[in-house]
Amino acid sequence: MSEKKQFRAIKGTRDILPPESALWNWFERQSRDTFEAYGFRDIRTPIFEDTYLFARSVGTDTDIVSKEMYTFATSSAGATSDSGDQMSLRPEGTASVCRAYIEHGMHTLPGNVKLYYSGPMFRRERPQKGRYRQFYQMGAEVLGPSDAPGIDAEVIEMLVVLFRRAGLENITLYVNSIGCKECRPKYVEILRAELRKVKDQLGADSQRRIDTNPLRVLDSKLPEEQPIIETLPRISDHLCEDCRTHFTKLRDELALRHIDYQENWRLVRGLDYYTRTTFEVTASGLGSQNAVCGGGRYDGLVELLGGPPTKGIGFAIGTDRAILSIQESGKLPHLPGVAVFIAWMGQKAYPTAVAMAQKLRECGLIVEIPAEEMKFKKSIGLADKLGAKYALIIGEDEIATSTYALKRLADANQQKLAEPELLEYLESERRGL
Ligand code: ATP
Ligand code: MG
């Protein structure tokens, strides 16, 4: 035990430190405020669940379930007959939300149930820029009796409004319809037949997917496969009447809301549970990991998990990537820093300094006060290094006259103020601090 071990964060995980963490909090706050304005409410679910829940909903053939989940055995001591004996760290949020919806009988709630969540997800992927093994998502789900295209459009509108608010630059919204359980299987067979004809020209992954999941071939990023994929049959030509009508109405609803988007027939998404509407948002500055949000409709999922017939639609924003994109754009929001550093000198000044710190914090200002006496120059030097806007100087003279010297550190401008004026002045300056 004498050897010193340097512990480091595990590969694919990372620490989010200040000042970056303030940007995270800001973005999450923008998200919550936006979601709540649309009537969504917070749901917090556990970060691990029965492995089978994810296998069932995300799909056993998907990359997520077949190779990316962190799965471990439950201890037999606590196991009950109705729980599986394997659990997994959640790789995504929708399955848990649907599980909770069923478990708590939320289908009896009036209208559509609108929920949002925020938190870490876990996937064993190859770590790289914008791709981590512990990453964060903010997501929203609408569950209930209706699949009106207006719901899809409102969810998409909410997303666009949030990204605009958060200053995410150069985003592109892609929209598609991947049909339903009536028309999609027929299309998949047509696609499979066509893929078999060009099998020799495809890479190993795509060749394998012809059998397991032909839709995923459309997702391929391999340059040499692109010309072939472009010639494949498109789902839009094979949608059933109901799906086609739904998609047409969705386009109308998006136009009504002045939302710019591009149709992308290859947007099939990696999860099995999607039906009809799928969408994705990409942002600039992220290299090849440029998807900041993915979402879609999943009308059969609640039923598949043992719940009542329920329609559903939702999305998940990759918070890590959203933050990266904001950082790359260079347009960072103004985030409050230390407003006032209290430079006190002399033990007689200390009680007043402490009282003043309390009052200023009460006004909503960020205040630093050294716990030990410091020489004036050192005090101002530290205030500067901490990025404080003002130094409030409290010495024995100030106590005697009940006026305080407020020094603006940027230009050394100094004013002498009595307590009420001081509080009033800082209060009026608060927005810019
Ligand atoms: P990708 O194609 O980039 O792998 P995905 O289709 O697997 O994304 P979803 O499951 O739809 O992603 O998750 C929604 C969002 O979560 C993505 O658009 C992305 O922003 C983010 N995300 C997914 N996986 C990761 C990861 N490993 N690290 C960071 N963010 C991720
Ligand atoms: Mg992925």
Side-chain angles (χ1 to χ4, degrees), residues 45-344:
T45 61
I47 62 166
F48 52 90
E49 302 260 8
D50 189 330
T51 301
Y52 195 52
L53 171 69
F54 301 118
R56 201 77 212 271
S57 50
V58 177
T60 39
D61 286 344
T62 59
D63 286 351
I64 293 179
V65 171
S66 66
K67 54 187 186 202
E68 295 174 358
M69 285 209 295
Y70 288 94
T71 296
F72 43 98
T74 54
S75 73
S76 52
T80 58
S81 56
D82 61 349
S83 75
D85 48 11
Q86 299 253 291
M87 50 192 182
S88 299
L89 295 182
R90 62 182 184 190
E92 58 101 54
T94 304
S96 301
V97 172
C98 291
R99 196 260 313 131
Y101 178 87
I102 298 166
E103 186 170 337
H104 304 288
M106 292 169 91
H107 63 281
T108 59
L109 295 171
N112 283 310
V113 175
K114 302 198 274 186
L115 301 165
Y116 74 84
Y117 60 83
S118 171
M121 306 294 160
F122 306 85
R123 297 182 194 175
R124 191 186 282 110
E125 300 195 73
R126 191 169 70 77
Q128 53 197 292
K129 181 183 175 189
R131 194 176 291 289
Y132 312 99
R133 291 180 166 179
Q134 173 169 340
F135 62 101
Y136 295 79
Q137 288 186 337
M138 300 211 61
E141 317 285 353
V142 182
L143 292 152
S146 169
D147 64 354
I151 298 173
D152 308 36
E154 194 179 61
V155 162
I156 293 171
E157 175 192 307
M158 178 165 89
L159 196 58
V160 170
V161 166
L162 166 62
F163 285 162
R164 198 184 302 140
R165 246 194 193 202
L168 251 98
E169 301 269 293
N170 298 325
I171 63 160
T172 310
L173 166 67
Y174 297 98
V175 178
N176 190 25
S177 173
I178 57 166
C180 62
K181 62 177 189 297
E182 301 304 321
C183 54
R184 190 160 33 145
K186 292 177 195 153
Y187 167 70
V188 167
E189 281 321 310
I190 293 167
L191 182 63
R192 184 174 274 139
E194 288 304 308
L195 283 168
R196 287 206 170 114
K197 292 182 196 162
V198 295
K199 184 170 181 181
D200 297 345
Q201 300 166 57
L202 299 172
D205 278 345
S206 291
Q207 289 199 4
R208 191 169 31 81
R209 286 179 176 142
I210 296 176
D211 294 320
T212 58
N213 197 344
L215 282 178
R216 290 303 306 279
V217 176
L218 306 181
D219 237 7
S220 160
K221 305 277 187 309
L222 280 184
E224 56 275 24
E225 292 184 341
Q226 302 310 307
I228 304 158
I229 293 172
E230 282 305 311
T231 67
L232 294 171
R234 306 186 170 201
I235 181 114
S236 49
D237 298 325
H238 298 273
L239 293 176
C240 63
E241 190 62 40
D242 287 351
C243 286
R244 206 164 7 179
T245 309
H246 192 273
F247 196 29
T248 304
K249 284 194 181 144
L250 170 64
R251 290 191 204 94
D252 294 344
E253 285 274 357
L254 291 172
L256 178 75
R257 292 152 202 270
H258 310 292
I259 293 169
D260 290 330
Y261 64 95
Q262 287 181 27
E263 273 180 50
N264 178 1
W265 69 277
R266 289 176 53 179
L267 182 65
V268 292
R269 315 272 309 121
L271 293 73
D272 272 4
Y273 52 59
Y274 286 114
T275 55
R276 291 189 172 162
T277 311
T278 55
F279 54 97
E280 191 165 275
V281 178
T282 61
S284 58
L286 296 173
S288 53
Q289 267 61 251
N290 65 349
V292 282
C293 176
R297 181 161 277 293
Y298 47 85
D299 292 340
L301 182 56
V302 168
E303 221 173 331
L304 182 76
L305 296 175
T310 306
K311 313 287 188 196
I313 182 166
F315 63 76
I317 297 168
T319 314
D320 307 74
R321 293 186 196 172
I323 298 289
L324 262 173
S325 182
I326 296 171
Q327 287 169 328
E328 299 276 335
S329 78
K331 291 201 179 141
L332 298 179
H334 170 77
L335 298 171
V338 176
V340 180
F341 183 97
I342 300 188
W344 60 274

Side-chain angles (χ1 to χ4, degrees), residues 386-408:
L386 293 176
K389 290 285 174 352
Y390 291 97
L392 180 64
I393 300 156
I394 308 181
E396 294 187 0
D397 289 352
E398 282 78 12
I399 302 292
T401 58
S402 291
T403 58
Y404 308 98
L406 187 68
K407 184 182 177 103
R408 191 162 58 208

Side-chain angles (χ1 to χ4, degrees), residues 4-80:
K4 278 194 188 152
K5 180 172 162 60
Q6 284 286 319
F7 292 104
R8 305 186 71 95
I10 285 166
K11 187 177 169 200
T13 73
R14 64 207 178 114
D15 303 307
I16 294 154
L17 307 174
E20 196 187 322
S21 51
L23 183 61
W24 278 71
N25 283 336
W26 175 83
F27 179 75
E28 287 167 357
R29 204 157 47 238
Q30 298 300 314
S31 307
R32 288 174 193 281
D33 289 353
T34 307
F35 298 165
E36 285 175 11
Y38 282 81
F40 286 71
R41 294 182 296 168
D42 196 8
I43 180 168
R44 300 178 188 219
T45 61
I47 62 166
F48 52 90
E49 302 260 8
D50 189 330
T51 301
Y52 195 52
L53 171 69
F54 301 118
R56 201 77 212 271
S57 50
V58 177
T60 39
D61 286 344
T62 59
D63 286 351
I64 293 179
V65 171
S66 66
K67 54 187 186 202
E68 295 174 358
M69 285 209 295
Y70 288 94
T71 296
F72 43 98
T74 54
S75 73
S76 52
T80 58

